[in-house]
Every structure is written in structure tokens, then in C-alpha cells.
Amino acid sequence: MKLWKRAAAAIKDQKSLIAVGFSRRASYRNTDLEAAIIKATSHDDSSVDYSNAQRVYKWIKASPLNLKTLNHALSSRVNHTRSWIVALKSLMLLHGVVSCKVPSVVGEIRRLPFDLSDFSDGHSSLSRTWGFNIFVRAYFAFLNSYSSFTSDQIIRTRANLRSDKVDSVKQQLDRIQKLQSLLDLILQIRPIADNMKRALILEAMDCIVLESINIYGRICSGIIKILPAAGKTDAARSLKIVNKATSQGEDLAMYFEFCKGFGVSNARDTPQFVTIPMAEVEAMEKMVKRVEKDEEEVVEEEEKAIVLLEKPRLQTIITDKWETFEDDEYCFSEKAIQEYHQDPLPLVVSNQPVCYTMPDLITF
């Protein structure tokens, strides 16, 4: 059965090569490059064709115009395949292109030319391929984000060189946080099914392990560079980044142990990274506490000011100098008393209660 599947896969690859030979000529077509791409992404899961992969890299480095051929050939091949082998080899091939040191190439890649976020192998039952499906999806999620990030960094570097500027502290912190997000994505790429100990999976994991070392090293280097320059406004964010980097270092060590147990050759020795100076971290923690204390004091002063505005001060005045009004003087004057005795008011006696109409103080 395995021999029949390999024969059928070889026939598919041969048909694709014949189709390239008879394809219509166009400005974006390069038949030699397309043939090398098909061979580098063959259906054979026993090995990786490194010779043809190197041919592809040479074509891309020779001229960025060959990126159009690469994008066209890979998108056409991946969109028409249902094989996890072809999908994974295509990702590995593009990973090598993204990791090359040619800015004119990497700056033009941006997002990947295909979408494998919902990939599912169609050549075997789901019970046998679910682990490979998850592996391909995780690899695509990382590589798609990594490609976009790398391209953005090259474009920003070019802009800085033209304007003779350097990245601000905020921009450097943004870059470190994006690298931390990429490391979170790459640590999700791992074989989780029992039937995944294949040569192709081991080759892919070798690439992933090396890339994880590269990304974490860039995170640590960026932190060491930014800590002395971070001020009060960036202290809390910088400390958060440092704490996450420490946690990710532990996660990476566990990831290496898993890869070592799985048999990944590049994970045999755990690398020693440059450690973040504790003196810088402690200084950052003191700065954060100082900023938080200052903010609390400002809040307390504002609350006191609000209380003083809401509660006016009341005072009690004791005095023996009472102010007299004109009516009071008349009622208790000697003249008024004499007039009352001469013509006293009649005394009205009645069994009926005296009713007074109270004024309406509400509607008035």
C-alpha cells in the first residue's frame, strides 16, 4: 500500500513537471525555477530535496523579480494540493526565503501567497492525519506573521536610513513585544500525535528550533539595549516585557526538552542566552514603584480638593450685639404700649376652633 501511494505521488509530481514544460510563456514565468520548486516540494515524505531548494534560493537572490514566479508557482501548487507533505515542504521552502539576508527580497514578501489556516489532508482518514493538520496550521500561523514582521522591519530600516533617524524607545518596545508574540506562535509548533515521527517532521522541527533560538536571542538583546534608555513613562511597559521574557525563557527550555526527547538533532544542546542584568531590572522595578506612588499621591490630593469643594466650612458666631429692626422697635416702644392700653383689642371667645389657611410653600 505504501509503495502504491509513493508511486502515485511520483506520478503527480511528474505530471506537474510536464505541465510546466508546456505552459504558456509570460513575463513572470521562469520554467527552470518552477521545476525546481516542484521538485523541492515533492510528495516524498522520506527526505527533503535540498539541492533543488538551494537552486530556488539562488534564483531568488539573483533577482527579486523571480519572487513573482515563486509566489505564482507555490500558490498554485498549495491551492491545488491536499497533501500535508506538499504543504509542509512549501512552508519550509518559504521559511528559507524569509530567513535569507537579502533585504530587497525579504522586504517584498509581506504575507504568504497562500492560506493554510484551515488546512486538512485529503489523502488519509482524519484519525491518521489530524496531528499533521494541526502541525501545518501552526507552522503557517507563525510563518505568515513572521514574514509580515520581517518585511515591516526592513521597510522601517530603509525609511530611517533615508531620514537619518533612529527608532524611539516606544518603537523598540513595540518590536520586542512583536518578537515575543512570534515566539509564542513558534512554540505552538510541535508534533502531538503518535504517528508523527517522520523524517520530514524532524527536518521541519530542526528549522523551528533554530528559529526559536534566533527570536529569543533578539528579544534578550533588545531588552538589554532598551533598559538603560527607558524612562518613567516606559518603565511599567519595560518591566512587563522583562517579566514575559523570563517566563518565555522557561517555556523555551521546556520546549527544548520536548524536542530532545522527540529526536530533533538541533535540540540536543540547550543554548546559553545572554542574561538580562538584574541590576537593570531592579532599577526598573524601583522606578515603577516610584511612579505608582507619585500617581497615588496625585489622586489623593485631587480627592481632598473635591471634598473641600463639596463641604463648605460652617461657623458659629457668639455676640451680644443683636441687630434690631424697625418692627421690633415699634412693638416694644413706650408709645405703642400706651396706645394699646387706651384702645385695647377686643378679646374674641368662641367654641369653634380657629382655622388658619397655611400657605402652599411648594407651588408658591
Side-chain angles (χ1 to χ4, degrees):
M1 188 66 178
K2 289 183 178 181
L3 183 62
W4 179 85
K5 283 187 176 182
R6 288 187 178 181
I11 293 173
K12 287 182 180 180
D13 293 333
Q14 194 63 36
K15 287 175 64 177
S16 298
L17 290 172
I18 293 173
V20 168
F22 287 97
S23 62
R24 186 179 59 182
R25 297 292 182 269
S27 58
Y28 61 88
R29 302 293 293 270
N30 182 331
T31 54
D32 292 335
L33 176 56
E34 289 185 43
I37 290 171
I38 292 172
K39 292 176 182 177
T41 59
S42 67
H43 288 77
D44 183 9
D45 68 335
S46 61
S47 62
V48 178
D49 192 341
Y50 285 107
S51 60
N52 277 291
Q54 290 299 325
R55 289 182 62 194
V56 172
Y57 298 148
K58 287 181 180 179
W59 277 105
I60 298 301
K61 291 180 180 180
S63 173
L65 296 176
N66 289 321
L67 276 175
K68 291 184 178 180
T69 301
L70 177 71
N71 291 337
H72 170 76
L74 277 180
S75 62
S76 177
R77 188 157 176 78
V78 171
N79 291 333
H80 289 87
T81 190
R82 299 181 66 190
S83 168
W84 68 266
I85 301 170
V86 175
L88 182 55
K89 284 187 175 182
S90 299
L91 288 170
M92 294 171 66
L93 185 66
L94 264 180
H95 196 170
V97 175
V98 173
S99 300
C100 76
K101 305 300 182 181
V102 183
S104 58
V105 174
V106 181
E108 299 298 327
I109 295 178
R110 305 292 298 173
R111 297 285 182 177
L112 301 190
F114 47 77
D115 185 6
L116 292 172
S117 59
D118 196 29
F119 174 80
S120 182
D121 186 273
H123 295 284
S124 300
S125 62
L126 184 61
S127 60
R128 299 184 62 183
T129 60
W130 66 270
F132 299 100
N133 296 339
I134 293 175
F135 190 90
V136 169
R137 294 172 191 172
Y139 200 164
F140 169 78
F142 160 73
L143 191 58
N144 195 41
S145 298
Y146 184 57
S147 174
S148 178
F149 168 79
T150 305
S151 180
D152 290 341
Q153 293 304 306
I154 290 175
I155 293 172
R156 174 172 288 178
T157 301
R158 290 174 180 171
N160 289 345
L161 290 174
R162 286 195 296 266
S163 58
D164 196 20
K165 293 182 179 179
V166 295
D167 286 344
S168 63
V169 173
K170 181 180 180 303
Q171 290 173 329
Q172 294 180 57
L173 291 175
D174 289 341
R175 179 167 61 250
I176 296 173
Q177 285 187 317
K178 289 178 180 178
L179 285 169
Q180 289 180 328
S181 298
L182 289 172
L183 186 60
D184 287 337
L185 288 175
I186 202 172
L187 294 181
Q188 300 300 316
I189 308 173
R190 62 179 68 198
I192 56 177
D194 295 334
N195 62 337
M196 294 184 67
K197 201 161 188 177
R198 308 280 189 93
L200 182 57
I201 295 294
L202 290 170
E203 293 285 349
M205 288 302 297
D206 273 332
C207 299
I208 296 301
V209 165
L210 291 178
E211 194 64 77
S212 66
I213 297 172
N214 172 48
I215 293 175
Y216 189 68
R218 292 169 67 182
I219 291 171
C220 294
S221 300
I223 291 174
I224 293 172
K225 180 181 178 181
I226 201 65
L227 281 180
K232 289 184 178 181
T233 56
D234 305 308
R237 188 180 179 193
S238 301
L239 186 60
K240 182 179 179 181
I241 288 174
V242 171
N243 292 334
K244 183 173 178 62
T246 303
S247 176
Q248 284 185 321
E250 297 172 357
D251 294 339
L252 187 60
M254 294 175 62
Y255 187 75
F256 264 76
E257 289 299 322
F258 168 82
C259 293
K260 187 187 301 184
F262 190 77
V264 180
S265 59
N266 287 335
R268 290 172 184 170
D269 299 321
T270 304
Q272 296 294 326
F273 297 102
V274 178
T275 58
I276 302 170
M278 288 305 299
E280 297 286 350
V281 177
E282 291 173 358
M284 191 64 61
E285 290 176 347
K286 290 179 180 179
M287 188 181 297
V288 171
K289 291 179 180 179
R290 195 181 309 120
V291 171
E292 291 176 349
K293 184 178 180 181
D294 293 342
E295 291 177 352
E296 290 176 358
E297 290 178 354
V298 170
V299 172
E300 289 178 359
E301 290 296 329
E302 291 177 351
E303 290 177 351
K304 289 179 181 178
I306 293 172
V307 170
L308 289 175
L309 288 173
E310 291 180 349
K311 295 183 178 181
R313 298 175 65 183
L314 301 177
Q315 294 180 346
T316 302
I317 301 175
I318 302 175
T319 180
D320 57 352
K321 296 180 180 180
W322 294 98
E323 188 173 350
T324 60
F325 297 91
E326 186 178 349
D327 290 345
D328 296 339
E329 290 179 354
Y330 176 79
C331 291
F332 298 101
S333 67
E334 213 175 292
K335 183 182 178 182
I337 295 171
Q338 290 176 0
E339 289 178 356
Y340 175 78
H341 285 300
Q342 291 175 3
D343 189 14
L345 295 174
L347 180 61
V348 180
V349 180
S350 173
N351 295 327
Q352 299 297 325
V354 180
C355 298
Y356 299 94
T357 303
M358 299 298 293
D360 187 353
L361 300 178
I362 297 177
T363 58
F364 176 76

